[in-house]
Amino acid sequence: MADIVQSWLPGGLSETAKAPIRKRGLRRLMRRHSMIAFLMCLPLIAIVVGLIIYPAFYSIYLSMLNKAQTRFIGLSNFTYLLSRDVFWMVVRQSAIFALSAVLFKALIGLITAHLINNLPAKGQRKWRGMLLVPWVIPLALSSLGWWWLFDPTHSAFNWFLQLLGFEEIPWLSDPYWARFSVILVNVWYGAPFFLIMYLAALKSVPEQLYEAASIDGASAWQKFVHITLPMMQNIIAITVLFSLIVTFANFDIVQIMTAGGPRNMTHVFATYSFLLGIRSGDLPLGAATSLFMFPILAIAAVFILRGVRKRGREIG
Amino acid sequence: MSTATVASPVTRRIGFGASLRRNRRWALITSYAFLVIFAIFFLLPPYYMIVTSLKSDAEVAHMATNPWIIANGLTLDQFKILLTQTDFLIFFKNTVIVTLCVVAITMVVSVLAAFSLGRMRFWGSSILATGIFLTYLVPDTLLFLPLFQIVKSVGLLNSYWGMVLVYPTLTVPFCTWIMIGYFQSIPKELDEAALIDGAGYVQMLLKIFIPVALPGIIAAMIFAFTVSWAAFVYPMAFLYSSDQQVLTVGTVTSLIRADVYKWGMLMAGALVAAAPPLVIYAFLMDYYIAGLTAGATKG
């Protein structure tokens, strides 16, 4: 190793005499260098190709088989799904679930990030630490806690409503309240992530910009619209798109709290494909269902990548 | 802060200071007021889980008393029942084994790959780095059915070793991605100095990169830990007997199936299961947050 390295260094060898040797050595070094680098990536490539890319393509093949996986049936699974009302309800509910949850997560995240940023520096840590707790608890376990809060006979919320003289709310047994409940839990879980991302972004806005704006007589709202938002635009876009993917593909909340019911009205893509693929044992049909998520996820992914690259260039 | 510097220095010195201070104090009070409301919303469920887990069964079932407080005396019975009469400890042991293996595999694979992709470069390495980021965006709910077939074909269905096989798909891409960022931020002069001293790549990685990028490595480890501890879709789909089950699914399914809803014990189970990530978060908050924000702020 050491002798090869030496040939890199100016003055390590006499420049004129050994130039041809050096060139050959360098090429060999480069080849060896690439080889080692490639070998170090091999485990990663094995995992990504074997357990992500291959299954993704295998899923396409799987979705074109019949239930017993003995016969190739082309696109029949897809056309069957498209002809079913339940499937269209799943599409609609997934869209409602993801869009409304992400909207409220983004809003609450933005508001709380600003509130915390207003505080004196030494209090910020404490509040940030406290408000991030929902994100830290494994979602399956906090969903169980929420389920208990929504329990039909013992709901602690209903106890409170009764105390105030309101009527009880059938949180998970009425389809529309159930839809509201799963979205609420998702907002509760995901808003802290937005808070952390926005807080980090707020800190990266140069203080001089605000000072300059103050000198020009800008109001707090003007500063927000003309400085904070444009400076955070990229982070907001990345976070929203990322959250859109995660929320759209969410499984835990709906599976635990309603398992898709009542009347299949809270099913999202993930729980519906779980029902078809695992519970009913029709893997191909389940795979076909989950593949419908792909185009939406792919579009979001492309935009995220663009955003991350742009931000990478801005930061340098 | 907002109205602070609008006034010219002269007016500010005369009458503006007092109203400015008053404005700021009001802004602060409103901030605190709203933050308290949000904190109640965010902390209500964990609070209620704790309260329920410390009640006796009789009090949980009794509907007249205020459910938000412990009225009839605090008891640890629910935890006792959980640990002695259920499979909870088996779930816990399985989860610990799976998580430790997954964290170890993830760190070895992603540190090696990130060092190679971020520092050494080879033909196609930048495309590969982009590809890694994209695979991170592939959700588990898109892959669990084909992976079901794959896990079945290697004979690991209904075994927690199957989880050790598939969890790295959740952790490796992101950990590699943030490690690339950390490695790239280390100044080039360091490895040049190492090369002059005659260090090989292995020495360079072990003696320079890993120590210098230690904060990044800890952040990546925490990420891998929390993700494999909380994973739900894969064990839900691949594991069905309780001697192989992990905590998340075990708590949500097996503990319920065992009895009519024993909510006190269920909440005790959920709390004990959630404790390790919470403890890590409490002690290593800064690393935790660094790992969280790294995906978008480095790159």
Side-chain angles (χ1 to χ4, degrees):
Chain A
M1 191 72 236
D3 53 335
I4 305 173
V5 168
Q6 225 173 32
S7 63
W8 272 16
L9 307 166
L13 295 165
S14 140
E15 288 283 316
T16 43
K18 308 221 167 155
I21 303 170
R22 207 179 85 183
K23 213 169 182 179
R24 211 172 341 119
L26 197 68
R27 205 174 304 138
R28 202 173 339 115
L29 171 82
M30 285 310 288
R31 217 169 23 232
R32 223 184 102 180
H33 176 94
S34 291
M35 197 61 206
I36 298 173
F38 181 72
L39 283 177
M40 289 168 92
C41 269
L42 216 52
L44 172 85
I45 295 172
I47 289 177
V48 166
V49 171
L51 294 170
I52 299 177
I53 295 175
Y54 167 67
F57 282 98
Y58 180 65
S59 165
I60 298 173
Y61 168 73
L62 192 65
S63 68
M64 298 187 194
L65 299 178
N66 66 344
K67 184 174 177 181
Q69 296 175 42
T70 48
R71 211 158 36 82
F72 187 82
I73 54 166
L75 296 175
S76 300
N77 280 330
F78 294 94
T79 49
Y80 170 76
L81 282 172
L82 290 174
S83 70
R84 299 247 305 168
D85 288 343
V86 177
F87 177 75
W88 286 105
M89 206 155 71
V90 170
V91 174
R92 225 171 16 241
Q93 168 61 6
S94 295
I96 296 171
F97 180 76
L99 292 176
S100 55
V102 169
L103 176 72
F104 284 106
K105 283 190 264 194
L107 275 178
I108 292 179
L110 201 59
I111 294 169
T112 45
H114 266 93
L115 291 175
I116 290 185
N117 205 33
N118 276 346
L119 301 182
K122 65 178 185 328
Q124 290 190 9
R125 224 181 115 79
K126 199 176 64 195
W127 283 97
R128 189 185 63 174
M130 216 154 64
L131 296 188
L132 195 62
V133 166
W135 180 261
V136 183
I137 303 173
L139 181 56
L141 303 169
S142 48
S143 295
L144 189 67
W146 275 100
W147 187 17
W148 168 225
L149 274 165
F150 290 140
D151 184 87
T153 46
H154 294 88
S155 171
F157 290 138
N158 281 347
W159 180 87
F160 205 69
L161 288 176
Q162 273 187 324
L163 192 76
L164 298 175
F166 292 101
E167 234 175 276
E168 288 192 6
I169 293 175
W171 295 102
L172 297 177
S173 45
D174 175 85
Y176 294 98
W177 276 111
R179 283 183 169 180
F180 168 82
S181 304
V182 289
I183 291 169
L184 177 74
V185 176
N186 197 292
V187 170
W188 172 84
Y189 169 70
F193 174 70
F194 280 83
L195 157 70
I196 290 300
M197 297 299 275
Y198 291 164
L199 200 56
L202 276 176
K203 304 266 179 230
S204 71
V205 180
E207 194 60 36
Q208 298 97 294
L209 291 181
Y210 292 114
E211 283 161 18
S214 299
I215 292 167
D216 291 343
S219 69
W221 177 249
Q222 281 173 321
K223 280 189 229 169
F224 176 72
V225 173
H226 296 292
I227 301 174
T228 316
L229 275 186
M231 290 298 286
M232 288 173 60
Q233 194 184 27
N234 210 290
I235 271 285
I236 293 178
I238 294 171
T239 317
V240 165
L241 287 166
F242 176 77
S243 176
L244 209 55
I245 290 185
V246 176
T247 313
F248 198 70
N250 184 277
F251 175 77
D252 306 18
I253 298 173
V254 175
Q255 181 65 33
I256 290 171
M257 296 208 326
T258 66
R263 301 208 312 269
N264 289 327
M265 278 191 51
T266 55
H267 263 308
V268 288
F269 275 111
T271 54
Y272 194 56
S273 62
F274 182 84
L275 177 77
L276 295 175
I278 304 288
R279 287 273 186 272
S280 320
D282 194 342
L283 279 177
L285 194 60
T289 309
S290 62
L291 275 176
F292 275 100
M293 285 196 280
F294 187 76
I296 299 148
L297 300 182
I299 293 168
V302 167
F303 280 105
I304 293 181
L305 193 67
R306 263 183 37 185
V308 169
R309 284 215 168 130
K310 204 167 130 206
R311 183 152 176 95
R313 276 200 301 277
E314 279 163 10
I315 295 173
Chain B
M1 191 164 82
S2 51
T3 44
T5 34
V6 177
S8 75
V10 185
T11 40
R12 200 200 311 163
R13 203 173 302 141
I14 303 166
F16 214 72
S19 93
L20 166 70
R21 232 173 290 129
R22 206 162 44 234
N23 271 349
R24 253 191 80 67
R25 210 180 58 217
W26 268 112
L28 209 59
I29 290 172
T30 14
S31 289
Y32 277 120
F34 279 106
L35 274 175
V36 167
I37 294 171
F38 282 113
I40 291 174
F41 171 57
F42 283 146
L43 297 177
L44 206 64
Y47 165 78
Y48 190 55
M49 290 163 82
I50 294 172
V51 165
T52 307
S53 72
L54 295 172
K55 285 180 188 176
S56 63
D57 276 339
E59 192 187 341
V60 172
H62 191 56
M63 286 163 67
T65 51
N66 181 349
W68 295 97
I69 54 166
I70 307 169
N72 297 345
L74 187 147
T75 168
L76 289 176
D77 282 353
Q78 309 290 3
F79 290 89
K80 226 178 282 165
I81 297 169
L82 176 79
L83 298 179
T84 53
Q85 293 171 26
T86 67
D87 292 332
F88 189 80
L89 285 176
I90 299 175
F91 306 154
F92 203 96
K93 183 206 76 183
N94 293 346
T95 306
V96 169
I97 294 173
V98 170
T99 303
L100 289 182
C101 291
V102 171
V103 169
I105 293 171
T106 304
M107 290 325 290
V108 170
V109 171
S110 57
V111 165
L112 280 178
F115 180 65
S116 147
L117 290 173
R119 226 27 185 212
M120 296 170 72
R121 312 248 158 180
F122 55 92
W123 186 84
S125 60
S126 59
I127 299 171
L128 189 58
T130 309
I132 300 300
F133 183 70
L134 286 178
T135 54
Y136 164 57
L137 299 175
V138 179
D140 45 3
T141 42
L142 196 66
L143 294 178
F144 75 104
L145 289 170
L147 279 174
F148 181 88
Q149 285 292 80
I150 290 169
V151 170
K152 196 167 140 192
S153 68
V154 294
L156 289 175
L157 206 59
N158 195 27
S159 155
Y160 58 74
W161 294 109
M163 301 302 109
V164 177
L165 179 72
V166 296
Y167 281 7
T169 60
L170 305 170
T171 55
V172 165
F174 186 70
C175 288
T176 307
W177 177 255
I178 64 174
M179 287 314 301
I180 291 175
Y182 274 103
F183 282 159
Q184 276 177 344
S185 68
I186 295 173
K188 275 265 190 292
E189 289 78 26
L190 263 180
D191 32 327
E192 278 159 19
L195 283 171
I196 291 170
D197 290 343
Y201 286 118
V202 178
Q203 274 176 303
M204 219 161 93
L205 178 62
L206 291 179
K207 298 258 168 67
I208 299 177
F209 278 86
I210 290 181
V212 173
L214 200 62
I217 289 180
I218 296 175
M221 268 171 97
I222 293 176
F223 175 84
F225 175 87
T226 47
V227 164
S228 34
W229 194 272
F232 185 69
V233 179
Y234 291 152
M236 187 80 186
F238 304 160
L239 302 175
Y240 41 85
S241 57
S242 55
D243 63 321
Q244 298 293 325
Q245 200 53 275
V246 294
L247 272 177
T248 46
V249 180
T251 308
V252 174
T253 59
S254 302
L255 292 188
I256 290 178
R257 218 183 297 140
D259 225 324
V260 278
Y261 295 84
K262 282 177 61 81
W263 280 110
M265 187 197 68
L266 278 171
M267 290 301 112
L271 285 173
V272 178
L278 280 168
V279 168
I280 287 186
Y281 169 66
F283 285 101
L284 299 169
M285 187 167 88
D286 291 323
Y287 293 107
Y288 190 101
I289 288 171
L292 214 58
T293 50
T297 52
K298 282 185 202 301

